[in-house]
Amino acid sequence: EENKRRQTRSKRFENCKGGATVVKSFVKGRGGSASNRRASALKIALSCGDGNGQAVEDIDWDSLTIKGTCQEIEKRYLRLTSAPDPATVRPEEVLTKALKMVESTSKNYFYKCEQLKSIRQDLTVQRIRNELTVQVYEVHARAALEAGDLAEYNQCQTQLKTLYSEGISGCCNEFTAYSLLYIIFQNGSNRDLLSSIARLTPEAREDEAVKHSLAVRGAVALGNYIMFFRLYKTAPNLNFYLMDLYVERMRFEALRCMSRSYRPTLPLEVIARTLGFTNGAQADKDVLDECEEWVKAHGGQVVVDSASSERQFDAKASAATLFMPEPEDAVAHGDANLAVNDFLTRS
Amino acid sequence: MEGSGGFVDRRLADYVSLITDSLASQDGSAFAAALAINATNSYAETVSSCLDHTKDPARILKQVDKHAPLGEMLLHHTRAMQCYHQNRYVDAYNSLEKSANAFLQEYRNWESTWAMEALHVIVYALRTVGEMADREMAMNGKAPDKLKGAGSFLMKVFGAIQGKGPKRVGALYVTCQLFKIYFKLGTVHMCRSVIRSIDTSRFFDFEDFPAKDRVTYMYYTGRLEVFNDNVSAADRKLTYALERCDPFKKANIRMILKYLVPVRLALGVLPKESLLTKYNLSEYIDVVRALKRGDVRLLRRALKANENNFFRSGVYLVLEKLESHVYRRLLRKIYNIQKQRDPGRAHQVRMEVILKAMKWLEVDMDMDEVECSMAILIHKALMKGYFSHKSRVVVLSKQDPFPKLAGRQQQ
């Protein structure tokens, strides 16, 4: 086996004229026929033309790409620092099974994230860019959104945009909707937002998820909190998780608006109902307690109406005392997912 | 054939004489005209046919070195003209950039500003030929990058002339060409550095720049303010441009108005419908009508009908915020009607009345939404008063419940 490899290697050098550098080949692997294919492809590439080799685009890269042989469905993620050993890389069929495993597992996000990163790496080194690749990024993006891992979501979203633009099919409307919401809530520039919307195709505009995102954008632009929280309750797919990024701010803006315009008071029940503290039904005591706590945490003042013993938001008094508090889970480096306590309590 | 070869050589030599004459007499216009590439009377076609048949163009072109070391520049420049005439725009651009580079190195050392017009001609050519080169690259499946290159080069030109000295007067033209490039490429954030340089100049008063350039500059910076929702800054700049624009340049006036009309609407100033029709801005007609009537449904319909147009030009965000103004108008109408019927109680507007008005306008809104809209009106200070939830009444201030809008910054 080793002799065979040595032979093909020396044959390559024989036909090499002029200072053509040997392309780094992943010869360490087993699978003799594969490495023979690579060797001959390399030979042809180097011997054609005028000794300097052909143009980069004309080399048969597909034969030089490694094909993995590993059959493990579960695999830890280890960042590559050199050419991978095909024995450690999983072929497409195995990766499909691995993806199914991740989708149905009940383990936590850290586990899923690592497995998905590992799948993504195996796809990348084998230069597999097809529907499976799209599915993997979509699954990872969704998991990241649910876990609040925005950095990972953004990475996947960027990859998906490129893949969709290459014509590979996937849930592109679903992710267009996420992308729009992301720009709005991450304080993206107006120009970015406007050009993203202008570029929407007519059928994208008719998609329910995209329509929802556009409606959310409109509500935020006008400061229309009623509309915002109604859309929050009826959010399709995972639009809800992205809107979550803005709920605190919208609630505070709404409270400020109410404190300036209502006189003298406003029933707490109305606030609880219209600012998304309930699920549409009438607010019960628990919900009202939660709402009162939130209002007070923002400097709002709550009084009890003597006649009806209904809790009221004192708009007039609160106008001067409202403030936006520091977020509770603020950590020095800004990423709550890396907080020590959080890490210790994870399973 | 000797005869025709000599004839062609002489024509090329004539072209060189044009240039050397203009250099000797420091005739800016003649020099500029000789170098123009895609202007109507350019020498591109003549030069191109000369180059097709001349055996040794360099020998003839180098004659210019007796007056100024522009021989190499002319070699590249004539090559650019030839490629341009043969519709090979990528090659034309590449030669043009080499020519421009050679010219800039020499121009830097010239004390006087007599050749500024020629510099501008080259700058203009870089942008326009760069655009054509990008189109050619895209058609051949390559990622276009020539216009971007033109942008980088123009920044170099800007840097060379914008400092202390008489050449600064030409810097605003270059700035405007840069704006056009950045807007075309969609990289408007790059405008910031040139704007800062112009706005914070210690060496020059803005009013000393040529009027044409000032109008263009204010037009583009006004548009940037519109993108960023800075309504009063946008108003100031676009109005400046409009007031100084040549009244016969109808197309330019239309471009300014396209952005100024929404901005003025946000400040409560409504244009006459005749103005909108005169300048072909009919997309705003229904918007204006909605504002006059207090008709939210009409506004929403007008926005939807011209959605693509408004999003692409960037005025959508300014227009949609007019919804508050429409509600304001409606409230004001109700208030005026009530004042006529019962002046003592006019300042109290009941929710049922507002809801009825909405129904009549066929706007589908429930109590919560209407309350919210009223709250927003008061919060934005478009209406003075307060809302009583218990009695379901908007209580307007007895004095000046609808304060004037003009000059107020949109929130």
Side-chain angles (χ1 to χ4, degrees), chain A residues 10-28:
Chain A
S10 60
K11 262 199 249 160
R12 224 179 295 135
F13 279 102
E14 248 173 87
N15 284 344
C16 233
K17 294 194 186 106
T21 43
V22 176
V23 171
K24 209 189 337 177
S25 65
F26 314 117
V27 187
K28 231 176 116 204

Side-chain angles (χ1 to χ4, degrees), chain A residues 191 205 217 261-262 273, chain B residues 227 308 320 368 371 387:
Chain A
R191 174 93 203 189
R205 268 179 237 239
R217 186 210 65 79
S261 47
Y262 283 87
R273 189 168 44 85
Chain B
F227 280 145
N308 284 331
E320 76 179 343
D368 281 336
E371 256 189 55
F387 187 83

